[in-house]
Amino acid sequence: MKELPLFPVTTVGSWPRSVPLLRAQRQKQRGQLSQPDFAKLADAAVQEVLRRQEAAGVDFVTDGEQRRDNFYSFVTEKLAGVQLMTLAQMLEVVEDKAGFERILETLDVPAYAISNPTCIGPVKRLSPLALDEYLYTRSQTDRPIKVTLPGPYLLTRAMWVKEVAQKVYPSKEDLGEDVVKILKAEIQELIQAGADFIQLDEPVLTELVFTSGQTRTFMCAALSARADPTEELEFAVSLLNRVLEGAEAVRTGLHICRGNWSQKESTLLSGSYFPLVPYLNRINVRQLVLEYATPRAGELAALLGSENIRAEKELGLGVVNPRTPRIEPAETIVGRVKEALQYLPSRQIFLNPDCGFGTFSNRPMNSDEVAEAKLKTMVEAAAILRQEAAAIAY
Ligand SMILES: [Zn+2]
């Protein structure tokens, strides 16, 4: 890969889907559209998303997750032993029905719109999770590519609906072993194929520290959470580090946010990254891809006060909010980056939105136009920062 400019601009992954693509996705799920026919439409959608990112001037592009129904349940069709369960089906099997109903009440998403990838048998890879997506994207752009994957903790926790999964795996840890094998193999194949940046999504980590053991969740996977968040966080660190073993050759990232399913900020979680710092310090990932445009994410000092983080990590700094219609002025972004520069050298700072623009395909957070304008304002800010850096260097 050729040398990167300072303050590389990238996205967190997803992009809004077009109406025809969403229709095709529903038809495919109902068995009314073949995989090759869906792929043709998705290929065209990926080309369009790449064109928009290239036009905006993004340095690391993604395929916009156009083939996925959302950022984690898409694995269902690629894995043996996993089945989508609707919330109604889950309610039937779980023991703590009252607790589950309480979770449903806190969601700002119609319950029928969510299905959970649930473990129903030994979990094995039937086909790559993202390698095929990467190879297609590679054939369509010369720019460095970021590939997103659901993290091992997210996947294990979502798949583990105890009442069903325990028939196959004695414990969540046993299921985690197979999830680690799957993700590790995928990452190694992506490295072999030349992927430039592999990002693991673990948004649910914030839920462990900001809901203090209550079962409020944005992905109906909290059923399996232990009462003790510390134990869960240790489990997440161990899973992540095992998946990342042998991945030093590539830029790896860990994305953590506080939910991206609603434009109502008040329904999303709130709190700084501070309680996660002792764990983030020990995760062998090169870059932390974090939200910072939303005030709900707290101050930079809460994270960058840590000497270890400053010494060892790059920061993917969230500088635009994917959920708001307003385009952040480039000057505001420049100001935010300058704040980060008080802690980190310029080489360690990337610019990205707080999260994807279409984490759930049927619930995009913005239009293409607004998303593209937000990318452009980030690129504009990066250009100002690069110019200033060059002036100082001379
Ligand atoms: Zn996110």
Side-chain angles (χ1 to χ4, degrees):
M1 195 171 69
K2 66 178 198 315
E3 209 188 328
L4 284 172
L6 285 178
F7 311 107
V9 174
T10 183
T11 73
V12 172
S14 61
W15 192 262
R17 278 63 152 189
S18 68
V19 172
L21 186 63
L22 279 175
R23 197 183 308 126
Q25 194 177 62
R26 281 195 300 274
Q27 287 171 334
K28 180 176 66 116
Q29 282 164 349
R30 287 194 216 111
Q32 295 162 345
L33 187 71
S34 71
Q35 179 56 40
D37 284 343
F38 176 76
K40 254 182 248 162
L41 281 165
D43 286 353
V46 170
Q47 289 173 29
E48 168 70 18
V49 173
L50 287 171
R51 255 206 335 273
R52 282 183 183 266
Q53 291 170 88
E54 288 173 353
V58 170
D59 298 296
F60 274 88
V61 295
T62 74
D63 77 345
E65 302 179 7
Q66 296 291 292
R67 297 168 209 278
R68 305 181 180 181
D69 58 343
N70 69 47
F71 69 112
Y72 71 109
S73 69
F74 75 96
V75 301
T76 307
E77 52 186 70
K78 313 206 168 202
L79 298 175
V82 183
Q83 200 175 64
L84 283 181
M85 270 176 101
T86 63
L87 294 189
Q89 288 168 322
M90 286 174 77
L91 185 60
E92 260 174 53
V93 300
V94 297
E95 279 162 16
D96 180 12
K97 294 191 199 309
F100 192 63
E101 277 178 332
R102 272 200 304 278
I103 296 174
L104 299 188
E105 280 160 20
T106 66
L107 289 171
D108 174 44
V109 183
Y112 61 81
I114 308 181
S115 296
N116 185 61
T118 307
C119 166
I120 54 152
V123 180
K124 288 199 184 72
R125 209 162 58 129
L126 295 172
S127 62
L129 305 181
L131 179 69
D132 44 352
E133 295 175 347
Y134 165 74
L135 291 173
Y136 181 76
T137 311
R138 183 73 292 162
S139 75
Q140 299 299 316
T141 183
D142 294 329
R143 303 222 173 183
I145 296 169
K146 180 194 264 195
V147 180
T148 58
L149 283 171
Y153 178 68
L154 166 69
L155 279 186
T156 305
R157 187 167 145 181
M159 285 183 198
W160 182 255
V161 177
K162 191 180 76 190
E163 292 80 354
V164 187
Q166 227 163 25
K167 292 177 184 138
V168 194
Y169 294 97
S171 70
K172 192 164 60 173
E173 286 70 18
D174 294 303
L175 170 61
E177 291 299 318
D178 277 354
V179 170
V180 165
K181 275 185 214 149
I182 288 163
L183 285 174
K184 208 170 164 175
E186 187 75 25
I187 289 175
Q188 290 306 316
E189 286 171 21
L190 284 165
I191 294 173
Q192 288 293 314
D196 305 285
F197 190 159
I198 302 171
Q199 174 185 295
L200 296 168
D201 294 332
E202 290 285 9
V204 78
L205 293 183
T206 54
E207 201 182 80
L208 293 171
V209 289
F210 300 139
T211 54
S212 46
Q214 292 162 22
T215 49
R216 172 179 160 156
T217 181
F218 47 89
M219 357 169 290
C220 62
L223 290 165
S224 59
R226 295 187 184 111
D228 179 7
T230 313
E231 220 176 295
E232 284 294 299
L233 285 162
E234 288 296 345
F235 181 46
V237 171
S238 130
L239 290 175
L240 279 159
N241 277 344
R242 279 185 292 150
V243 162
L244 289 162
E245 252 170 47
E248 296 77 15
V250 72
R251 174 173 273 105
T252 51
L254 176 68
H255 170 60
I256 306 174
C257 65
R258 291 156 187 72
N260 193 37
W261 74 95
S262 172
Q263 282 145 325
K264 265 201 278 175
E265 291 277 320
S266 61
T267 67
L268 304 172
L269 299 174
S270 214
S272 85
Y273 286 98
F274 186 71
L276 289 174
V277 167
Y279 305 94
L280 298 179
N281 263 325
R282 289 188 282 128
I283 297 172
N284 299 325
V285 74
R286 197 181 308 179
Q287 185 173 126
L288 300 171
V289 181
L290 305 179
E291 54 180 358
Y292 271 112
T294 174
R296 288 180 299 100
E299 287 310 309
L300 277 165
L303 175 82
L304 298 177
S306 159
E307 201 180 312
N308 247 342
I309 300 253
R310 293 199 303 274
E312 288 173 15
K313 307 284 189 228
E314 290 174 349
L315 174 62
L317 180 65
V319 289
V320 297
N321 186 334
R323 294 170 299 274
T324 54
R326 186 178 155 270
I327 311 302
E328 292 81 353
E331 297 70 35
T332 308
I333 299 174
V334 168
R336 195 67 171 149
V337 173
K338 285 186 176 167
E339 227 182 288
L341 281 167
Q342 293 170 12
Y343 302 92
L344 289 178
S346 48
R347 285 268 159 224
Q348 279 167 251
I349 302 174
F350 279 49
L351 307 188
N352 46 255
D354 276 1
C355 193
F357 290 101
T359 304
F360 296 89
S361 65
N362 54 8
R363 207 176 165 81
M365 288 296 112
N366 248 313
S367 65
D368 294 318
E369 289 72 24
V370 172
E372 193 171 348
K374 293 208 179 221
L375 296 188
K376 282 184 176 152
T377 193
M378 289 198 298
V379 170
E380 208 184 305
I384 297 171
L385 289 157
R386 285 167 197 162
Q387 247 173 18
E388 289 186 11
I392 294 167
Y394 282 111

